[in-house]
Amino acid sequence: MILSDLSILENKTFPVIIIGSGPAGISTALELDKYNIESLIIEAGSRKYNEGQESYFNGYLNNSEFPSLNSRRTRAFGGTSYRWGGYCNRFEKEELEKWPLTHFELHEYENECNKILGLKNYHTDFYIRKFSNELNQYHIRFASNLKFEEHYYEKIKNSKNISLSLQTMFMEFRGLKNNVTSIKCKKDRKIFEIKSKYFVLACGGIENSRLLLWSQKKNPNLFNKNLQIGKKYMDHSARRGAAEGFLNYKKLINYFEKLNIKRDYYIDCLPRLYLSPNAVFREQKNILNTGVYIRVQNSKHNNPNINKFLRKAYCISPNFFKTVLEEDKKNEIYKFKVRLHPEQEPDLNNTVRLSDKLDPIGIPLPKISWRASEQMKLSNKISLISLGNFLVQNDIGRLAIDEKIFDINKFKFKFNGNHQIGGTCMGTDVNNSVVDKNLKVHFVNNLYINGSSTFPTSGHNHPTYTIVLLSLRLANHLKSKKDI
Amino acid sequence: MYKKKEIFNKDRRNLLKASKFSIILISFLKLYPIKFFKEVKSYSLKFVKKNKKVWIMSQNDFK
């Protein structure tokens, strides 16, 4: 149901209050609803996204490689699903070794997750597989329930167990030592205090750290001083135009067939190919994971103008390119572009802190200190060389890499800021993390944090799928509580 | 006479062994025909700078 007046809740104690109505908050509430557990969702925005919310999202950055902070976050029902591309892929088993969760514990609720995101054509045996000696291939799936507002607003409106309060701004957590008792929030210029047994903070990567830091400052007795809030902030860059090249489509298909891959599987991926260096290669070269996304520009997709591209490179080796141009006459040669999605390692120097300037409701705006490491730049270079090596070895095509990638001093990342990861990291070591594997804040008995801010490593994958998995796991953990 | 028979049997046993080996060999070749006789292609990479791009080519491309 939709709540318009919060004064009726003064004497009520909810079992669960969820702050934020993004994919994390909605998935948790929907799963709790299955078990008839009542929850209240608080959303600062309205049902639809309105422009002009920059005053809430402004912040300070120390690095020009990062985009403006007010262009990548959304205050509306459905959260950032409003601008989500629908990419779903999961972490590798080897990547989860650094997490306090096992692969099974994380993917236990995969079927429910697929239903929430509307995922179809799911080939479990083909999620990730060997592509070459050094590269793996991913099967990225696209969610059909893209915008949560379109799919879940009516469901939540008609639900008996889920209450939703829009345009309600969270201000701080209140409570005694180790126990949160209520939250302070603002709606229609009035301030309310709402009580609950359990609290879930699910406001997004930067907001989770900012609101927790602010609550810690306001109530120093409630939170432990040593909590690493706001540290190990990570993001994904999207390095478009990192490389381009050409390939013989027929030879690529033959390569797939040689690997005994069913046509249904590989044809589903083309004209896109998602590759990344495998765990053994990463360990050998001491590099981070990097998503190498190839987009083949075939006749159905864009006008490839491959002839012009090949003629520009003709003088490198006239004899070789003469044969390639002849193959092009048979329409076998296609141009492709490569986009990189590198993993960023958790670094204590990359932080979200509170600045001196305040937003319209009096909470300090975030200040982000962030830099890309040399290991990230090296990982990009080695992953691309590995792709070039594969193309040469199998004589499928050739790759031309942007020369800036070879020069670490010139190379600059263009971060998209869409995947805000870390800040309230998950871990077993109390001095090195903020939440445990059940997403409960260390030393606080009834406060949970949900979303990509809890990821201990960023991987190169799109985070939404894992966010929904963690939300379902959290709901099932809350269900097991005796006092709910 | 006895000796002759023994030699004959011995030869027949050897012949049987040989035929078994040839059957195994033929079936192996049927299974892995290319891998067994495939020539190993040698190649080495060559990095060529052109139009602000570094091309990854094979040494064989320049022959």
Side-chain angles (χ1 to χ4, degrees):
Chain A
M1 69 191 93
I2 310 295
L3 299 176
S4 52
D5 185 14
L6 291 184
S7 56
I8 52 166
L9 303 178
E10 270 178 25
N11 298 320
K12 187 175 166 98
T13 303
F14 274 94
V16 183
I17 284 184
I18 299 161
I19 302 137
S21 72
I26 291 175
S27 310
T28 312
L30 288 173
E31 188 69 2
L32 287 171
D33 184 32
K34 265 189 193 174
Y35 305 109
N36 278 329
I37 297 170
E38 217 182 329
S39 63
L40 168 69
I41 303 177
I42 282 172
E43 171 54 50
S46 46
R47 184 184 167 181
K48 299 269 180 188
Y49 176 70
N50 301 318
E51 297 292 333
Q53 299 179 351
E54 290 82 5
S55 53
Y56 289 99
F57 288 141
N58 276 331
Y60 299 92
L61 297 161
N62 72 333
N63 200 321
S64 59
E65 288 172 284
F66 206 89
S68 162
L69 280 178
N70 58 27
S71 61
R72 305 293 176 187
R73 293 181 282 164
T74 314
R75 273 194 177 204
F77 180 78
T80 39
S81 71
Y82 199 81
R83 54 174 88 235
W84 181 38
Y87 286 75
C88 291
N89 57 344
R90 64 180 180 184
F91 279 83
E92 284 174 41
K93 273 183 188 173
E94 291 84 358
E95 282 179 312
L96 289 174
E97 280 168 9
K98 290 169 191 165
W99 288 43
L101 285 168
T102 61
H103 189 262
F104 174 74
E105 280 174 321
L106 183 62
H107 296 100
E108 205 180 340
Y109 305 102
E110 206 163 47
N111 290 336
E112 285 86 349
C113 178
N114 291 342
K115 277 179 201 165
I116 286 178
L117 295 171
L119 287 169
K120 288 163 194 168
N121 302 325
Y122 173 44
H123 304 301
T124 38
D125 53 336
F126 186 61
Y127 214 126
I128 179 170
R129 58 163 201 84
K130 191 182 166 182
F131 182 72
S132 70
N133 289 338
E134 293 165 356
L135 297 167
N136 279 337
Q137 186 189 358
Y138 280 86
H139 179 64
I140 290 187
R141 297 167 297 148
F142 289 88
S144 51
N145 296 348
L146 256 185
K147 290 180 182 172
F148 274 53
E149 183 266 318
E150 284 172 11
H151 292 274
Y152 296 113
Y153 184 77
E154 290 299 323
K155 194 175 180 181
I156 285 174
K157 193 180 166 185
N158 300 326
S159 165
K160 284 178 187 174
N161 293 318
I162 308 173
S163 306
L164 171 66
S165 178
L166 295 168
Q167 290 173 319
T168 310
M169 285 153 203
F170 169 82
M171 294 177 83
E172 65 183 68
F173 288 109
R174 286 183 162 185
L176 301 165
K177 204 178 181 185
N178 300 342
N179 264 314
V180 181
T181 50
S182 62
I183 57 162
K184 192 178 157 187
C185 55
K186 195 175 184 181
K187 186 178 169 83
D188 301 332
R189 293 179 186 176
K190 288 178 196 165
I191 291 174
F192 297 94
E193 197 169 332
I194 310 170
K195 290 170 203 151
S196 175
K197 287 175 185 166
Y198 293 94
F199 300 83
V200 178
L201 180 64
C203 291
I206 296 171
E207 291 297 285
N208 279 354
S209 298
R210 180 172 86 109
L211 296 173
L212 210 61
L213 279 168
W214 176 240
S215 292
Q216 192 187 33
K217 201 176 178 183
K218 292 284 278 181
N219 300 293
N221 295 329
L222 185 58
F223 297 96
N224 190 291
K225 281 178 191 173
N226 298 326
L227 281 177
Q228 303 278 309
I229 305 170
K231 291 191 176 171
K232 298 181 193 170
Y233 178 73
M234 294 166 267
D235 206 301
H236 286 149
S237 82
R239 186 72 167 79
R240 288 168 204 273
E244 54 186 355
F246 65 88
L247 55 82
N248 189 316
Y249 207 75
K250 225 176 184 178
K251 282 182 183 173
L252 182 66
I253 299 288
N254 286 342
Y255 179 75
F256 277 117
E257 277 168 5
K258 216 170 91 182
L259 290 176
N260 288 331
I261 297 166
K262 286 180 189 170
R263 192 175 166 80
D264 294 352
Y265 290 169
Y266 68 75
I267 217 75
D268 200 25
C269 306
L270 293 170
R272 292 185 180 96
L273 272 178
Y274 302 105
L275 308 172
S276 80
N278 62 33
V280 179
F281 185 60
R282 289 201 304 267
E283 209 176 301
Q284 261 177 19
K285 299 277 176 183
N286 190 24
I287 55 167
L288 298 162
N289 211 344
T290 306
V292 181
Y293 293 1
I294 299 171
R295 190 162 191 161
V296 182
Q297 297 177 316
N298 60 15
S299 51
K300 285 177 191 169
H301 179 260
N302 296 341
N303 182 17
N305 206 358
I306 180 71
N307 201 287
K308 203 176 168 185
F309 175 68
L310 291 173
R311 280 184 191 285
K312 271 188 181 178
Y314 190 80
C315 61
I316 294 173
S317 170
N319 286 342
F320 171 73
F321 279 95
K322 210 181 260 177
T323 52
V324 178
L325 281 163
E326 272 166 25
E327 281 174 27
D328 182 39
K329 283 174 191 168
K330 296 173 202 164
N331 289 330
E332 285 173 2
I333 302 292
Y334 291 101
K335 191 184 171 186
F336 66 86
K337 285 191 171 181
V338 181
R339 196 170 70 168
L340 292 174
H341 274 233
E343 174 188 12
Q344 184 170 21
E345 75 274 45
D347 184 348
L348 283 170
N349 296 319
N350 293 344
T351 56
V352 179
R353 285 176 293 169
L354 298 176
S355 72
D356 302 331
K357 290 208 171 180
L358 306 177
D359 72 1
I361 58 162
I363 300 175
L365 292 166
K367 191 179 178 182
I368 293 174
S369 303
W370 177 93
R371 68 176 182 86
S373 68
E374 286 191 0
Q375 201 189 2
M376 273 178 84
K377 294 175 183 178
L378 191 74
S379 307
N380 279 357
K381 185 180 139 185
I382 291 175
S383 304
L384 281 174
I385 291 174
S386 171
L387 173 66
N389 186 13
F390 162 79
L391 292 170
V392 169
Q393 194 178 358
N394 295 285
D395 201 26
I396 289 173
R398 297 291 181 270
L399 185 73
I401 303 171
D402 187 350
E403 66 171 2
K404 283 179 190 168
I405 284 176
F406 284 84
D407 189 347
I408 286 174
N409 297 325
K410 277 186 186 173
F411 181 46
K412 277 198 169 187
F413 280 102
K414 282 173 189 164
F415 273 69
N416 55 19
N418 287 335
H419 302 162
Q420 298 143 13
I421 298 167
T424 60
C425 292
M426 194 194 301
T428 45
D429 183 4
V430 176
N431 297 319
N432 207 13
S433 58
V434 179
V435 296
D436 64 12
K437 72 174 194 177
N438 294 320
L439 307 181
K440 188 185 81 63
V441 177
H442 295 309
F443 309 112
V444 185
N445 296 327
N446 58 346
L447 176 59
Y448 293 83
I449 296 181
N450 193 6
S452 54
S453 67
T454 60
F455 291 9
T457 58
S458 66
H460 72 83
N461 306 294
H462 298 80
T464 310
Y465 187 73
T466 313
I467 290 172
V468 176
L469 281 174
L470 282 174
S471 310
L472 296 171
R473 197 173 178 276
L474 171 62
N476 280 277
H477 171 75
L478 288 170
K479 184 196 87 180
S480 65
K481 296 281 174 188
K482 285 174 187 171
D483 53 342
I484 277 188
Chain B
M1 190 67 191
Y2 177 72
K3 267 184 183 177
K4 265 186 184 175
K5 202 178 180 184
E6 197 180 44
I7 290 160
F8 173 72
N9 280 343
K10 210 177 179 183
D11 283 345
R12 210 174 65 165
R13 260 182 258 136
N14 285 343
L15 205 74
L16 270 168
K17 271 182 192 173
S19 61
K20 268 182 192 172
F21 175 73
S22 61
I23 289 164
I24 292 164
L25 185 70
I26 288 161
S27 56
F28 176 77
L29 290 175
K30 269 184 184 174
L31 275 171
Y32 307 101
I34 305 159
K35 279 184 186 176
F36 199 73
F37 293 110
K38 198 180 173 185
E39 281 177 38
V40 181
K41 281 183 186 174
S42 63
Y43 75 97
S44 54
L45 298 180
K46 193 175 178 182
F47 295 80
V48 187
K49 253 190 186 185
K50 175 79 187 162
N51 294 338
K52 294 181 181 179
K53 284 192 170 61
V54 179
W55 281 82
I56 300 180
M57 308 286 285
S58 164
Q59 288 280 12
N60 300 338
D61 297 344
F62 299 91
K63 281 176 186 170

